[in-house]
Structure formats: structure tokens, C-alpha cells
Amino acid sequence: MERNANLYAILAAGFATDRDAVAIETPTRTYSWADIEQTSARIAGLLQSLGVAPGSRVAVQVHKSPEALMLYLATLRAGLVYLPLNTAYHAAEVEYFLTDAEPAVVVCDPANQKWIADLAQQAGTAHVYTLDADGSGSLMEEAASQEAVFQTVHSQPDDLAAILYTSGTTGRSKGAMLSHDNLASNALTLKRYWGWRADDVLLHMLPIFHVHGLFVASHGALLAGAKMIWLPRLDIDQALHYLPRCTLMMGVPTYYVRLLADPRFTPEVCRNMRLFISGSAPLLAETFHQFQQRSGNTILERYGMSETGMITSNPYEPALGERLAGTVGPALPGETVRVVDDEDRPVDLGQTGHVQVRGPNVFAGYWRMPEKTRQEFTEDGWFRTGDLGTLGGPGIPDHYLSIVGRSKDLIISGGYNVYPKEIELVLDVQPGVEESAVIGVPHADFGEMVVAIIVPKVGQVLDIEGIQASLKTCLANFKMPKQIHVIDALPRNTMGKVQKNVLRQQYKNLQP
Ligand code: MCA
Ligand code: AMP
């Protein structure tokens, strides 16, 4: 029989052979490999019993829990498409995703059931379940009566496994469609490249509604049959408590900045650690060096996107090269990266240009946006990342990539992407506002801080507190401008385009 390309089947081939061994440990309980198999089987059975069509979406906005991970695995097993949503999203944001993706099933936090069920109904969703952080709720109650064994659906490599929404430069989010093979190929590559082992213990503190926590971290541990210490969020006290038992940790740069800010973070705490991995946002060279000095560990920085999974990584094996501060390393095996000019022609080594990528990890396109998908690929099939980078350069091997900026107007705050356009559209309709510009300025903890610059209508005095309150009702908290500044006019170039670089320069020394 043809090999089953279902991602769950591929991950499960790596599960520990001792199914009673601990796979996930939380501060309050443990889950064995058998628990993962059986609970995901029960949830998959429940999903299948609904009779929804293969490829239907399962939209999930729940707190992090092992059960939420099992729901993800169950969705794969049932041949459905997982659509995770940030728990910080408010109703206005969730409404867009449900309307756009038309999920057959929605799983939400019990506290949000009322409003999410209303939105789901409007979007034509027939099934709404709840799942709480402690694993309680209607999903697990109903799954409990299902069989503990489930025949994982046979999937083709190109069948969709997940849709991840990434905000768009026009303010409208795009759903990146990821196939079973996109995810599996990346997971298998990373397993080899980062030397995952069955005796690894991963400190998992990332949220599981994005690529980093859901795919890169969880897939790695599952595929290696390695244990995860599973914490609901970044909490430095907990991190320091568990680190001595761990061999591996992944985080956005803020995680490393916060560890360094705590005097209890010492080499003794990291005594069993073999690998600290950073990504999702640029790691400052200063953080890289301080971490090395303080802990004796060299952070491995890698680079990726929702549309592609991981693209490049500094080496793990010393034989493949050094981990260099300020670089994101070579393209991963099986992928190709190039840096090009505005006409898609490769630039010379050491020169900055647009980063493009090709490989089995590159997504299938944006959900119901064929035109947008076409624009984001070159005619010969390279995906335009929207990042600016350099290959090689003084003292850097030719095949190492450095990310030096972005051609897309994007702010990354604490590892979360914020698209200025989305905030500007909300600001521009506030009473008395003529226009606005949203920029990112350096921030010691979050890397970048969201700042709004607004211009009042002639003769109007703005009610800044009122504007902030209004923004809070419709924007997730991490998107909220940390500061709002009022000026008479935005700087523009001769074409009339707002010069955000001028604003970023002007406001770069703001104190948080
Ligand atoms: C929380 N706040 C933030 C952020 N997080 N503000 C800006 N940026 C943020 N990222 C705000 C809250 O609204 C609150 O404001 C105040 O900060 C404190 O909130 P709290 O919840 O205590 O914050 P925290 O728990 O300390 O969270 C910070 C965090 C978290 C740990 C850095 O944001 C986080 O875990 N980020 C990881 C994101 C991630 O996984 N990204 C991967 C994307 P107020 O008090 O006003 O309400 S995947 C990706 O990018 C690609 C593919 C890749 O390469 O990996
Ligand atoms: P997302 O849309 O959440 O998938 O975010 C992808 C973006 O995060 C990339 O296009 C980069 O701009 C950024 N990113 C991820 N990893 C790194 C890194 N190591 N250094 C710089 N930027 C990064």
C-alpha cells in the first residue's frame, strides 16, 4: 500500500516505543505516549462522527494545554485542516477568520463560548465545542465516549494540514495553506539538522497558535520521541525551576532577554542544556554574546515564516560551521535561498536584496486569494519572503544569510507580528483623526514597540484616552500602540508617500 503521507502518521513513527513513558509533563500532571495516541484517537473519532467533508477547517482559539495539542493531532488524523487562532484576538478579529475560513468545527475557551458561538453560527459553522486550560469542556466530555483507537486517515502529500493566518500589508489577513508534506519535510529536516534525540527534554513555553510553538517545537519533540516540559506561558520562575532538567529550549528573543535579566540564570541552571534556539524575530548580537558569556551556551538562531516553516538555521554540528551572531545561517538541507534585486536578479555576495526561497516546505498558497498568491511568487517559482537580507559579507561564510530589514511594512513585537496598516485603518476612523502612521521603534524587552503617530483634523483636539479605549475593544493587546504621539503633518516624499523611515529615526529613542 502507498505510504500514508498524513503528518500524524509520520510523527507517530517517532513516538517512544515505551508507550508508558512520559511524553508531556506539566506542573500538575504527566501524559504518556499512550495518552497522546488514545486521546487524539478519541477526539479524531468525535470529529469523524460529525460527518464533515475531508479538508474542512477546525478553527481553534483555546488556552495552551496538552489537550489542545491532542486536538491538533486529532485534526490531522481525521483528515481535517487545523486553524489555530491567537488567544489575544477579540471578536472583531475572530469574526474575520471565521467568515473567511468557514470552519465546520470551532473549539473555544468556555469563557468565550457565548460570543464565539454567535460568530460561528453567522459563519455557517455547525459544531462548536469548548476546551479549557485544564482540559475540561464539552470537547473532551464528548470525546470520552469514543474509541481509544483510530485509523489515521490516509492523506496525500499535498493535502492541506493547516491554515495559518498571517496579517497582510493591506490590513487584511491571509491564510497560508500548509500541506502535510510542507510540515513533515520541515520537521524531518530539523530533526536531523538539530540532532534531536530520544533522551532530549524540551522546555516548551511558547504559545501553540503559531509556527514556532506548534510546529517547530512540538513536531521536533514528537518526532524524536522526546519528552516535553509543557508550561502555559513564559514564566521566568518556572523556566529557572525546570531548566536544570532540560536539554533543549526554544524561544523568541524576548525569552533570552528575560532570562539574562534574572541574576539566578547561571551556568549551573543550564548544566544539562545542549541547545538554545532563537527565532521569529532578530536576536541582537548583544544578547547572543551576553548569553554566551553568562551561560557558556551559544544560542542557535534560525529564520522562518508561517508560509514556509524554517528556511535557514545556524549549524548545530560544529563540523558544519560556527553559529554567528547577527546571521541566521545557511539554507536548510533541501531548500534554496537567494537574494535578488527589484527585478529578481541575484545580487552579489555581501550585497543586500530581497530574500526568496524554494523548497518542499514552501506553502501551497493563500486561502482563497489566488491573485495574492501569484504576486508572492516569481514566475520561476521562488517565494518572496518580504525580508531583506545579505548572503556572506565581511567575515561571514558565503552561504550564511543575514536578515537586515524588511520590504514589507511589519513590526515584530515580542515575536508577534503587527501590521501597521491594520492599526492605521482603526486609528483613521477615530473622532478627530485626519490620518495616522504606525511604526516600530527599538524596545529592550519586546525588540520593537508599536508606536502610533496621529495627525488631528484641522482645529480638533484629540481625546487620546478615548482613542486608546476604542482601540482596545477591537485590537488584540499585543497590537495596541504602547504610545500615541500627535503631530501636525506626516513627513512625505515627493510622490506623497509617508516616510516611515523618517518617523522611525525621529522616534527611535523613545522610552517605554
Ligand atoms: C504581551 N504584551 C505584549 C506582547 N505580549 N505587547 C507587545 N508585544 C508582545 N509580544 C502585552 C500585554 O498586552 C500586556 O499589556 C503586557 O504586555 C504584559 O502582558 P503579559 O501577558 O504578562 O506578557 P507576557 O506573558 O510576558 O508575554 C510576552 C511574551 C509573549 C512572553 C514575549 O508575547 C510571547 O510568548 N511571545 C511569543 C510569540 C511567538 O510565539 N511568536 C512566534 C510566531 P497590558 O498590560 O497593557 O494589557 S511564529 C513566527 O514568527 C515564525 C514562523 C518563526 O520564525 O518562528
Ligand atoms: P510570521 O509571519 O509570523 O511567520 O513571521 C515571519 C517573519 O518573522 C519573517 O518574514 C521575518 O521577518 C521574521 N523572522 C523570523 N525569524 C527571524 C529571525 N531569526 N531574524 C529576523 N527575522 C525573523
Side-chain angles (χ1 to χ4, degrees):
M1 193 180 148
E2 196 190 344
R3 186 181 74 100
N4 187 358
N6 188 294
L7 173 63
Y8 176 83
I10 292 166
L11 295 173
F15 287 5
T17 36
D18 175 5
R19 294 295 207 251
D20 294 328
V22 174
I24 300 178
E25 176 182 335
T26 73
T28 52
R29 68 168 283 200
T30 57
Y31 298 77
S32 66
W33 293 94
D35 290 333
I36 295 183
E37 274 181 328
Q38 292 168 12
T39 306
S40 66
R42 291 185 203 279
I43 305 173
L46 173 64
L47 294 173
Q48 201 174 54
S49 73
L50 303 175
V52 300
S56 297
R57 278 73 57 209
V58 178
V60 178
Q61 192 195 32
V62 298
H63 288 297
K64 182 177 175 184
S65 67
E67 288 76 9
L69 181 68
M70 295 179 204
L71 167 60
Y72 161 59
L73 297 175
T75 305
L76 298 174
R77 296 188 76 173
L80 304 177
V81 177
Y82 195 70
L83 194 173
L85 294 171
N86 192 322
T87 44
Y89 291 149
H90 293 306
E93 290 154 316
V94 172
E95 180 177 12
Y96 171 79
F97 299 119
L98 299 191
T99 311
D100 193 54
E102 297 181 316
V105 182
V106 169
V107 184
C108 66
D109 190 287
N112 302 334
Q113 187 184 10
K114 175 73 190 76
W115 63 265
I116 291 198
D118 286 348
L119 293 178
Q121 195 187 17
Q122 281 171 37
T125 304
H127 311 280
V128 178
Y129 295 99
T130 58
L131 177 62
D132 211 338
D134 62 3
S136 63
S138 62
L139 181 81
M140 301 308 287
E141 277 162 28
E142 297 213 19
S145 57
Q146 296 286 328
E147 296 285 333
V149 178
F150 181 86
Q151 185 72 41
T152 296
V153 162
H154 195 95
S155 303
Q156 297 299 323
D158 291 342
D159 287 347
L160 283 195
I163 297 181
L164 260 72
Y165 275 87
T166 79
S167 303
T169 39
T170 57
R172 212 179 136 214
S173 282
K174 304 165 292 185
M177 300 190 288
L178 297 157
S179 69
H180 285 262
D181 191 50
N182 290 150
L183 299 176
S185 65
N186 212 228
L188 289 163
T189 299
L190 294 175
K191 180 185 175 200
R192 287 187 291 268
Y193 199 74
W194 290 342
W196 273 98
R197 303 190 308 236
D199 61 352
D200 271 325
V201 180
L202 171 72
L203 183 56
H204 195 308
M205 303 184 284
L206 286 158
I208 55 165
F209 37 70
H210 284 308
V211 165
H212 201 160
L214 184 64
F215 301 152
V216 188
S218 307
H219 288 173
L222 293 168
L223 196 53
K227 176 170 152 177
M228 290 190 260
I229 292 190
W230 187 263
L231 302 180
R233 52 186 288 276
L234 173 67
D235 173 320
I236 292 298
D237 288 341
Q238 296 257 34
L240 292 167
H241 172 72
Y242 284 108
L243 265 175
R245 290 174 45 206
C246 296
T247 64
L248 229 145
M249 181 190 130
M250 294 187 198
V252 304
T254 303
Y255 287 34
Y256 295 106
V257 169
R258 290 193 186 175
L259 276 176
L260 283 170
D262 197 304
R264 294 170 297 170
F265 180 64
T266 60
E268 182 56 15
V269 168
C270 316
R271 59 185 176 270
N272 286 317
M273 288 294 297
R274 71 170 180 88
L275 188 55
F276 287 95
I277 299 176
S278 176
S280 307
L283 180 75
L284 293 182
E286 186 189 325
T287 311
F288 176 97
H289 292 302
Q290 273 181 16
F291 201 89
Q292 209 168 32
Q293 272 171 5
R294 184 75 168 274
S295 74
N297 285 273
T298 305
I299 299 176
L300 178 156
E301 185 175 7
R302 75 355 171 237
Y303 156 67
M305 288 185 75
S306 298
E307 288 91 333
T308 61
M310 299 302 97
I311 303 171
T312 70
S313 169
N314 272 281
Y316 169 65
E317 292 293 347
L320 293 180
E322 267 186 89
R323 295 175 210 160
L324 295 178
T327 84
V328 291
L332 284 163
E335 300 183 39
T336 325
V337 163
R338 68 178 191 180
V339 175
V340 300
D341 63 15
D342 289 343
E343 270 76 49
D344 295 332
R345 288 177 307 221
V347 299
D348 291 338
L349 289 173
Q351 300 297 310
T352 295
H354 305 282
V355 179
Q356 300 184 344
V357 58
R358 220 156 56 164
N361 53 309
V362 176
F363 74 135
Y366 294 111
W367 173 256
R368 291 179 179 166
M369 287 188 182
E371 184 53 25
K372 190 77 204 160
T373 304
R374 209 184 48 74
Q375 286 166 10
E376 299 300 328
F377 283 87
T378 64
E379 281 185 3
D380 51 348
W382 294 82
F383 173 61
R384 306 176 198 276
T385 62
D387 291 309
L388 298 173
T390 310
L391 279 167
I396 299 173
D398 292 350
H399 59 309
Y400 275 47
L401 180 72
S402 305
I403 302 294
V404 299
R406 297 171 203 135
S407 55
K408 54 193 170 191
D409 191 12
L410 162 69
I411 300 166
I412 305 185
S413 169
Y416 286 138
N417 290 5
V418 180
Y419 276 82
K421 189 75 192 168
E422 184 185 350
I423 323 288
E424 288 160 6
L425 288 173
V426 180
L427 281 167
D428 291 350
V429 296
Q430 299 300 316
V433 173
E434 175 66 29
E435 60 174 352
S436 62
V438 169
I439 55 170
V441 304
H443 187 276
D445 184 37
F446 289 132
E448 286 185 280
M449 157 170 88
V450 177
V451 171
I453 319 293
I454 49 182
V455 176
K457 288 199 163 93
V458 178
Q460 302 246 359
V461 178
L462 294 174
D463 169 13
I464 298 296
E465 277 183 19
I467 291 177
Q468 277 165 329
S470 165
L471 258 53
K472 260 202 162 122
T473 62
C474 57
L475 292 176
N477 53 16
F478 66 88
K479 298 179 191 167
M480 283 291 295
K482 302 272 184 222
Q483 295 184 14
I484 296 182
H485 295 265
V486 180
I487 58 174
D488 291 338
L490 296 175
R492 291 183 187 276
N493 65 15
T494 47
M495 310 290 286
K497 193 168 181 284
V498 175
Q499 290 170 303
K500 289 205 170 170
N501 52 341
V502 172
L503 290 172
R504 279 193 284 266
Q505 189 59 26
Q506 206 174 330
Y507 289 95
K508 70 177 182 202
N509 292 324
L510 287 179
Q511 294 307 308

